[in-house]
Amino acid sequence: MTYLDYQATTPIAPEVEQAMAPWIADRFANPHSPSRWGNEAEAAIEVARKRIEKAVDLRGGRIAFTGSATEALNWALKGTVENARATRQDGRNRVITVATEHAAVLDTCEWLAEQGIDLTILPVDREGRLDLDLLARELDDRVLMVAVMMVNNEIGVTQAISAISRMAHGVGAIMVCDAVQAFGRVEICEGPDLVALSAHKIHGPKAIGALWMRKGKEPAPLIHGGGQELGLRSGTLSPALCVGFGAAAKLAAERMTKDYDLVQRLSAAAKHALGPDWIINGSTAHRYPGNLSIRRDGIDAARLLADLRDMAFSLGSACASGSGRPSHVLRAIGLDYREARSSIRLGFGRYTTQQDLVAACKQLATAAKAQEHLVA
Ligand code: PLP
């Protein structure tokens, strides 16, 4: 099996597995209990927190653990609206986001719109980038919050997060950034007030995320209860998951340059092996190289996936739900239905070998060519 779906999730690093093991086996104490065992678990969580904060490398804030990045984004968006309502900033009722955001942002924003928020979803250009002049025209003192992701999960395109944050701050708005696909792979841009992170995209465990919060911009709690995480996010923390996230973040920070150089080399090798018939979706200049979203005219990508069962990659045409609907991201960059249906996403990283990737790309190219003969 050649695993080429690093945007969906990543394999657990051996170092992470090792760090988690004792906290799964016999060190089971509740980290919020006052016993010695509880204190040890709490101390391990605090070490993990520091490691993640160091890897985020932004000044003036802290992280709170969450159950996923989806939860972190829900919390950031809904909690910021809640804060504005509680402090009677009623004049600020607008939220601006972008058409290529993850469903965790788009669906939450749509829900906020149903609750009375004035929502603006800005388009992107054919490269998948937000036009900053367009954003500038939309910004005024009615805007409460701007939410833009750093690296797109489907096409790998990056946005100018520091510039966008400066513009949002210029009108007094709060900047939310989904950095799930960026964290541990590239440096996090300075500027955002709230940054969502996920462990399983950086060789850590699933079902744990975090929200980095600038001091004074913490969203109102979404989850109420025992008052954990400074009363901002209740619920017993899992020492195993927190320690695993911390180990993954430390490793990612230490290896960032090495991993980035590797994905750059892998990307070049993959493009060479695929041959000239494939077109890259989105910007080639502003993208994370470990995400190769490509299409080839006339092919049925779903058929490719069915033909190549020993390979894991993603389709551009269907959402995660397998609905078969063209992806909202590919539509947003102007692809028509046929182009979206002929798109695939290859995602690779730390544990991908060039040999496996090249072999997989050659298989893909052959299978795609075979479809041409079928049509002819
Ligand atoms: N945002 C982006 C860009 C993602 O790729 C993902 C995961 O697919 C998420 C948010 C949600 O992360 P999680 O799986 O931790 O809820």
Side-chain angles (χ1 to χ4, degrees):
M1 170 84 141
T2 308
Y3 185 76
L4 298 175
D5 208 7
Y6 267 60
Q7 278 69 44
T9 197
T10 52
I12 290 249
E15 295 89 336
V16 170
E17 205 183 320
Q18 221 172 30
M20 289 175 71
W23 301 101
I24 295 171
D26 41 27
R27 306 187 80 178
F28 59 85
N30 186 323
H32 314 295
S33 295
S35 68
R36 179 160 63 83
W37 295 281
N39 290 342
E40 282 171 7
E42 188 189 29
I45 288 174
E46 291 317 308
V47 169
R49 190 190 305 281
K50 287 276 165 298
R51 287 179 168 171
I52 297 162
E53 285 171 352
K54 192 162 177 228
V56 170
D57 200 21
L58 293 176
R59 285 184 301 271
R62 62 181 290 270
I63 63 144
F65 287 107
T66 59
S68 61
T70 300
E71 183 196 320
L73 289 162
N74 268 264
W75 179 21
L77 296 162
K78 293 175 185 171
T80 299
V81 168
E82 181 56 31
N83 271 346
R85 285 192 177 144
T87 54
R88 302 217 169 276
Q89 288 178 267
D90 291 330
R92 286 197 185 264
N93 193 41
R94 268 189 86 196
V95 172
I96 297 181
T97 190
V98 179
T100 47
E101 291 294 304
H102 190 273
V105 167
L106 284 178
D107 287 10
T108 307
C109 286
E110 296 285 2
W111 183 85
L112 285 170
E114 283 166 23
Q115 314 303 310
I117 281 292
D118 179 8
L119 175 64
T120 301
I121 302 176
L122 295 179
V124 291
D125 60 22
R126 277 197 77 88
E127 300 253 288
R129 301 202 87 216
L130 173 62
D131 175 355
L132 299 194
D133 290 335
L134 177 65
L135 175 65
R137 288 197 290 279
E138 294 291 334
L139 286 171
D140 58 30
D141 60 7
R142 288 169 301 168
V143 178
L144 170 65
M145 181 164 55
V146 176
V148 183
M149 75 198 327
M150 232 180 108
V151 175
N152 187 272
N153 50 308
E154 292 199 36
I155 54 174
V157 170
T158 57
Q159 302 291 353
I161 294 300
S162 291
I164 295 169
S165 302
R166 277 194 299 277
M167 291 168 73
H169 291 158
V171 295
I174 289 186
M175 175 71 191
V176 177
C177 182
D178 174 349
V180 167
Q181 296 288 342
F183 181 51
R185 294 175 174 165
V186 294
E187 275 173 26
I188 303 290
C189 305
E190 278 288 346
D193 302 300
L194 300 166
V195 181
L197 314 167
S198 185
H200 73 100
K201 312 287 183 177
I202 59 162
H203 308 286
K206 292 174 183 58
I208 181 152
L211 185 65
W212 183 89
M213 305 169 291
R214 187 177 299 288
K215 199 169 180 336
K217 307 285 180 187
E218 296 88 351
L222 191 66
I223 297 180
H224 303 269
Q228 290 90 347
E229 296 296 77
L230 295 182
L232 291 170
R233 195 273 184 182
S234 290
T236 304
L237 290 174
S238 158
L241 295 180
C242 295
V243 165
F245 193 179
K250 180 171 182 283
L251 199 60
E254 287 165 357
R255 297 185 47 127
M256 190 181 288
T257 310
K258 202 169 158 193
D259 285 351
Y260 192 86
D261 288 349
L262 172 70
V263 292
Q264 265 188 320
R265 279 200 307 278
L266 290 174
S267 177
K271 284 184 267 190
H272 184 73
L274 285 162
D277 299 324
W278 298 79
I279 301 159
I280 294 179
N281 293 323
S283 170
T284 49
H286 301 281
R287 73 184 300 126
Y288 168 67
N291 177 330
L292 201 52
S293 171
I294 46 175
R295 66 181 193 273
R296 186 179 156 150
D297 274 346
I299 65 155
D300 178 353
R303 206 191 158 97
L304 270 190
L305 195 61
D307 287 348
L308 301 165
R309 304 300 288 177
D310 59 344
M311 219 183 274
F313 59 94
S314 261
L315 296 181
S317 59
C319 313
S321 61
S323 66
R325 278 183 284 123
S327 111
H328 69 282
V329 174
L330 297 182
R331 273 206 323 265
I333 63 168
L335 300 199
D336 63 24
Y337 183 67
R338 272 172 56 89
E339 289 170 322
R341 260 173 57 98
S342 67
S343 292
I344 59 171
R345 182 189 68 191
L346 305 180
F348 37 83
R350 191 183 299 163
Y351 303 110
T352 313
T353 67
Q354 184 158 328
Q355 195 183 7
D356 285 351
L357 179 62
V358 165
C361 289
K362 286 186 175 159
Q363 257 182 291
L364 267 166
T366 308
K369 216 164 181 50
Q371 284 193 16
E372 275 175 12
H373 297 308
L374 283 179
V375 175

